[in-house]
Amino acid sequence: LQQCGFTQSLTDPGMLTRRGEGSLVILLVWVDDILVASDNLNTLRAVKDEIGSKFKLSDFGEISSFLWY
């Protein structure tokens, strides 16, 4: 994911961020799950396509609730 331009958080190794083109993307990684969030829907789709080209990906759509450790 770092090869895709994401920077790992200094305080939480499971959180990666990428800024660019006027948008922010946040990835939250836990074992084999990734939550992708962005302030731009087109950027979100592009990032999911980018990740999907490098890893096997299943998209379960929008989340309804979220718990973090």
Side-chain angles (χ1 to χ4, degrees):
L1 294 171
Q2 290 174 333
Q3 293 175 351
C4 296
F6 286 92
T7 303
Q8 191 172 29
S9 168
L10 296 175
T11 57
D12 188 340
M15 184 173 85
L16 298 97
T17 58
R18 182 170 82 180
R19 293 184 182 271
E21 302 171 16
S23 63
L24 170 66
V25 179
I26 300 171
L27 300 181
L28 298 175
V29 180
W30 182 253
V31 186
D32 62 351
D33 293 323
I34 301 176
L35 181 108
V36 183
S38 178
D39 57 356
N40 182 296
L41 186 57
N42 291 328
T43 300
L44 178 77
R45 290 178 179 146
V47 167
K48 289 194 307 186
D49 289 344
E50 184 179 2
I51 293 171
S53 72
K54 298 179 185 324
F55 303 97
K56 182 179 176 186
L57 180 69
S58 297
D59 185 349
F60 297 107
E62 292 186 24
I63 62 170
S64 59
S65 61
F66 174 72
L67 298 173
W68 194 248
Y69 64 95

